[in-house]
Structure formats: structure tokens, C-alpha cells
Amino acid sequence: MKTNFKVAGKGIMNFLTSRKVVLENKRNETIFDLQLLWFLIAMIFLSGFIIVGLIISLLLGCKISIVESDIDYIGK
């Protein structure tokens, strides 16, 4: 059994910088998109506002998704 556990910091940073958080309305029009890394940093400082905003958005029928940022995302 292997007991060594290594975290690849480069792989984690690559994941955080290559994804975006996208908020879309019912007609698949992008309302908001932000790189996942900056979204997580904003969550640290503005978590109350962001959580309330996301709950209200979901109640209004918006979709929240995480997509790859190197692919040009067109509401698919």
C-alpha cells in the first residue's frame, strides 16, 4: 500500500485557470462569466453576497456551469 501522497500544485493551478464559471438566463444568453480562480477568491471575501445572488439567480431559472475557458463557449 502506497503511503506517499503528493499534491501537484501545477495541475491544480492549471485546472483553476483553465475553467470559467458561467451564469446564463433561460434563453441561454450569458449574463456573467468569470475565471474559476477569481471566482473562488471573490467567494472568500464576498461569500454572503455571492451565495445570496446565486440562490436568487437559480430561483429565477438561470443556469450556473463551469466550462473550459480555452473553448469559445456559445451557450451550448
Side-chain angles (χ1 to χ4, degrees), residues 33-71:
D33 64 341
L34 185 65
Q35 190 176 16
L36 184 60
L37 176 66
W38 294 113
F39 181 77
L40 293 176
I41 291 171
M43 281 292 293
I44 292 171
F45 296 106
L46 304 170
S47 61
F49 295 115
I50 292 175
I51 291 171
V52 169
L54 292 177
I55 290 172
I56 291 171
S57 298
L58 289 173
L59 290 174
L60 293 174
C62 294
K63 295 185 288 186
I64 300 170
S65 56
I66 297 176
V67 297
E68 290 187 43
S69 61
D70 55 330
I71 297 173

Side-chain angles (χ1 to χ4, degrees), residues 13 49 72:
M13 284 303 295
F49 295 115
D72 200 20

